[in-house]
Amino acid sequence: MSSVRLRGIEIAYTDEGSGAPIVFLHGFPFNRSMWRDQIDALRETHRVIAPDLRGHGESEVAPVTIPEMARDVAGLLTALDINQAVVGGLSMGGYVALSFCRQFSERVTALLLADTRASADTEEGKQNRALQAERVMLEGMEGIANEMLPKLLRPESKPDVVSRVRQMIVRTKPLGAVAALQAMATRDDQTDFLSRINKPTLILVGVEDVITPLKDSQLMLHEIQRSSLEIIQQAGHVSNLEQPEQFNRLVNVFLERTFVSNQQQTAKN
Ligand code: MLT
């Protein structure tokens, strides 16, 4: 396992391939293994980095906020001698990607926002997080896995996908999950920031996502000037795992377009 110590906490990460860097940020309560299909598909042409965000996977647990998770990503990129990267995240990873863009805009080549939203939690959402945190402490991660799986994936999802998602959830440390629930409940609303994003942005959403439904992506499309939206068919919230081929194809087309247009821009200057 590769890891780096950032502000006193050990952060585990994957770093494979070579080429223009792209960093993938996982959702809650998952870990970097959710990006395996994307890493395999992109490593021939890109340097692909995927950390376990604080409290998840093999990284250490500590109280955390979404902006702090974004600062960890910046610290990791610095440790890897990477100045700029395409920054992509799914769901909670998308909250972190938006926060990263807000804090370190000059380090973002392009953004990839999958099955995520810019708005903060509603009061009801915050109360649900508190109940979920209580449940985690009482029942461990099994209870949360049973509660979340029907919302994360479609009923028709392949058994191996269901099993991968369940494994990620039950392997998450309960205290890490509680810290992330608090981080998500207290995160800022990023809607006002969207119109200030001036980076090529690909928004992806599973057509059957019930956690961050299509309307959340449509709002981001409306507000982010250089954005495009792609809808992944036969996918729920974890669209990269349910439909890796569609997801990877759309990401590849976006990356090709982004790097060609960046090169043209550099040639013009
Ligand atoms: C995730 O997939 O990261 C979470 O479902 C996001 C959330 O609960 O807001």
Side-chain angles (χ1 to χ4, degrees):
M1 172 191 86
S2 301
S3 71
V4 62
R5 204 156 185 83
L6 296 171
R7 292 174 295 134
I9 296 292
E10 208 64 22
I11 298 287
Y13 64 92
T14 296
D15 177 7
E16 291 183 22
S18 57
I22 174 160
V23 50
F24 281 115
L25 308 173
H26 61 78
F28 168 86
F30 308 148
N31 59 57
R32 68 193 198 274
S33 74
M34 72 170 282
W35 298 112
R36 190 69 258 167
D37 297 324
Q38 285 65 48
I39 296 169
D40 289 344
L42 289 167
R43 51 180 286 167
E44 295 304 318
T45 47
H46 287 79
R47 182 170 177 190
V48 192
I49 292 117
D52 281 340
L53 296 167
R54 245 167 223 244
H56 297 78
E58 295 175 287
S59 290
E60 281 178 358
V61 175
V64 71
T65 61
I66 296 293
E68 276 171 336
M69 287 184 185
R71 287 197 277 282
D72 285 343
V73 177
L76 172 62
L77 293 181
T78 302
L80 298 177
D81 213 13
I82 294 170
N83 185 33
Q84 261 204 338
V86 176
V87 179
L90 183 134
S91 200
M92 180 183 76
Y95 310 157
V96 179
L98 280 173
S99 178
F100 184 94
C101 190
R102 190 172 199 146
Q103 297 180 75
F104 308 102
S105 156
E106 70 292 348
R107 303 193 70 171
V108 178
T109 319
L111 267 181
L112 210 153
L113 300 170
D115 299 281
T116 192
R117 61 156 67 94
S119 55
D121 278 2
T122 59
E123 278 314 310
E124 190 191 347
K126 286 181 195 184
Q127 280 164 17
N128 284 338
R129 302 265 192 219
L131 290 175
Q132 259 190 331
E134 263 174 42
R135 189 157 184 201
V136 168
M137 294 318 292
L138 285 173
E139 297 174 20
M141 295 307 288
E142 281 289 345
I144 286 291
N146 294 336
E147 179 193 313
M148 286 186 81
L149 274 165
K151 294 184 208 144
L152 292 168
L153 298 168
R154 294 172 314 132
E156 305 81 13
S157 291
K158 294 188 195 134
D160 65 310
V161 172
V162 180
S163 150
R164 269 177 80 182
V165 175
R166 176 179 282 284
Q167 286 308 309
M168 285 194 293
I169 299 175
V170 298
R171 284 186 186 153
T172 300
K173 297 172 201 89
L175 286 177
V178 169
L181 284 164
Q182 279 163 355
M184 289 191 288
T186 54
R187 75 187 191 279
D188 289 333
D189 195 308
Q190 306 268 25
T191 311
D192 284 350
F193 170 63
L194 298 177
S195 61
R196 286 189 270 138
I197 298 176
N198 186 17
K199 304 284 175 180
T201 301
L202 175 63
I203 302 163
L204 293 161
V205 63
V207 67
E208 293 174 56
D209 185 343
V210 292
I211 296 183
T212 48
L214 179 59
K215 67 173 175 32
D216 291 324
S217 288
Q218 284 167 332
L219 185 137
M220 295 193 290
L221 174 72
H222 187 258
E223 296 294 318
I224 304 177
Q225 13 179 341
R226 296 163 68 191
S227 64
S228 55
L229 168 65
E230 298 287 355
I231 299 170
I232 312 225
Q233 300 305 318
Q234 297 184 314
H237 186 60
V238 200
S239 58
N240 74 309
L241 271 173
E242 270 198 277
Q243 297 298 339
E245 281 168 22
Q246 270 185 68
F247 192 99
N248 295 348
R249 182 173 45 74
L250 293 165
V251 170
N252 253 318
V253 169
F254 171 72
L255 291 175
E256 276 170 23
R257 221 174 37 216
T258 300
F259 286 107
V260 168
S261 80
N262 277 358
Q263 275 162 10
Q264 283 167 349
Q265 195 61 39
T266 315
K268 260 198 233 158
N269 294 338

